[in-house]
Amino acid sequence: MLLPNVRAIVTGAAGGLGSTFCRRLLENGASVLAVDVNSARLEQLKEGLKSSKFHVQTADISKEDSVRSIFEAAEKSMAGSNVLVNNAGILRDKALVKRDKSSGKGMHGMSKEEWDAVISINLTAPFLCAREFASRMIGSGQEGVIVNISSSARNGYVFQSNYSAAKAGLAADTVVWAKELAKHNIRVGAIAPGVVHTQILDSVPKNLLDELIAKVPLGRLGQEDEVWQGLKFILECNYFTGRVVEIDGGITL
Ligand SMILES: NC(=O)c1ccc[n+]([C@@H]2O[C@H](COP(=O)([O-])OP(=O)(O)OC[C@H]3O[C@@H](n4cnc5c(N)ncnc54)[C@H](O)[C@@H]3O)[C@@H](O)[C@H]2O)c1
């Protein structure tokens, strides 16, 4: 797909990676509908970008009705979408279990609420968005692309039962959707970033972050633009589908 032909819905667009994706897509001539639950940060982004091809929609993508409203907004603002970037994500890290200091007994660590929140936003929401996107693409005669932002955590990171499961599930669905949707002229790809310097890391304790960086062969955090390069490749390469591009400084080697 040629970037000037792209009409993209980007979820989690007010965050670190999302805002970089929006900026770079616009610079390359694309139209963008930026979606985020954080309306104040979306408005800030809009003011900064100052483009008639940039549209915003405040929505909680874990809710089915909100997802429908996003696609209706895309119809109105840019005559529909042909690219979906499933980027929104949250962390709620916790060990599965812990030992109570006074009794020495085992107890629950991660709560069901922490599990549910991460599965809902990082896995169920991409499913809802992909389903809505694909159903609207069918019969349009256009090519479409879905890009899922997974994570190197899909291989299993400590304290991330919820996040690792969601990101592994998203990588698996990248394969499922690529197989199911190819006949409808929709390609599906994923990116698994390693540790990238954005606000999502604010909740990660510094010692854990340092431990992670120490495991990266390239010895540093990734940059947002390095993940954008992966998105650009997936959009532009018409023979790419069903695969995960790992942009992780080698952390999973
Ligand atoms: N930064 C990293 O190190 C890293 C590594 C691997 C994968 N990722 C993934 O990349 C994606 C983007 O991460 P980021 O680092 O830019 O994070 P970020 O925290 O900067 O941005 C995430 C955005 O998602 C939005 N969001 C959260 N819940 C939402 C909801 N219910 N509806 C709509 N929007 C919602 C937030 O408001 C935020 O703006 C996430 O899926 C994350 O899991 C990030």
Side-chain angles (χ1 to χ4, degrees), residues 11-18 35-38 41 59-62 86-91 121-122 149-152 163 167 192-201:
T11 69
L17 288 176
V35 176
D36 205 287
V37 75
N38 188 330
R41 294 199 56 206
D60 176 351
I61 54 160
S62 61
N86 273 323
N87 168 71
I90 60 165
L91 291 176
I121 292 162
N122 297 21
I149 308 301
S150 176
S151 165
S152 55
Y163 188 77
K167 294 301 190 181
V195 194
V196 184
H197 199 237
T198 73
Q199 68 186 16
I200 206 171
L201 299 183

Side-chain angles (χ1 to χ4, degrees), residues 24-245:
R24 296 295 176 229
L25 284 164
L26 289 169
E27 284 169 5
N28 284 275
S31 298
V32 177
L33 177 68
V35 176
D36 205 287
V37 75
N38 188 330
S39 54
R41 294 199 56 206
L42 264 188
E43 283 306 321
Q44 271 176 9
L45 186 63
K46 192 175 177 187
E47 271 176 33
L49 291 173
K50 287 189 186 21
S51 165
S52 60
K53 291 186 156 186
F54 185 66
H55 315 278
V56 296
Q57 175 83 1
T58 303
D60 176 351
I61 54 160
S62 61
K63 301 201 162 63
E64 230 169 335
D65 286 354
S66 307
V67 168
R68 210 169 301 118
S69 74
I70 294 166
F71 286 84
E72 278 155 16
E75 294 290 343
K76 285 193 191 121
S77 56
M78 50 186 195
S81 58
N82 55 6
V83 166
L84 168 67
V85 185
N86 273 323
N87 168 71
I90 60 165
L91 291 176
R92 296 285 184 275
D93 293 1
K94 203 68 75 63
L96 180 67
V97 291
K98 55 189 177 184
R99 182 191 287 267
D100 181 58
K101 280 193 184 120
S102 49
S103 71
K105 290 196 171 151
M107 55 195 286
H108 293 177
M110 184 176 287
S111 67
K112 181 163 182 302
E113 287 72 26
E114 287 160 337
W115 169 270
D116 286 343
V118 169
I119 296 297
S120 166
I121 292 162
N122 297 21
L123 183 60
T124 308
F127 155 75
L128 294 174
C129 292
R131 189 179 61 170
E132 192 66 31
F133 174 83
S135 64
R136 287 173 187 253
M137 286 291 309
I138 290 172
S140 71
Q142 301 174 61
E143 64 171 323
V145 186
I146 298 171
V147 183
N148 296 320
I149 308 301
S150 176
S151 165
S152 55
R154 74 191 176 110
N155 298 298
Y157 280 176
V158 290
F159 311 136
Q160 293 192 329
S161 303
N162 47 8
Y163 188 77
S164 292
K167 294 301 190 181
L170 197 52
D173 274 346
T174 299
V175 178
V176 174
W177 301 340
K179 289 178 178 170
E180 290 188 12
L181 300 176
K183 61 176 171 291
H184 301 301
N185 205 15
I186 299 171
R187 295 187 293 108
V188 188
I191 302 173
V195 194
V196 184
H197 199 237
T198 73
Q199 68 186 16
I200 206 171
L201 299 183
D202 290 353
S203 66
V204 179
K206 187 171 177 327
N207 60 331
L208 194 62
L209 200 56
D210 289 344
E211 265 177 45
L212 275 174
I213 295 170
K215 288 183 187 148
V216 180
L218 290 182
R220 64 169 174 86
L221 294 174
Q223 301 296 320
E224 292 163 3
D225 266 327
E226 291 166 334
V227 185
W228 153 249
Q229 288 175 319
L231 174 57
K232 183 172 184 289
F233 166 74
I234 293 173
L235 294 177
E236 289 184 328
C237 182
N238 291 332
Y239 202 51
F240 183 89
T241 200
R243 301 286 181 186
V244 180
V245 177

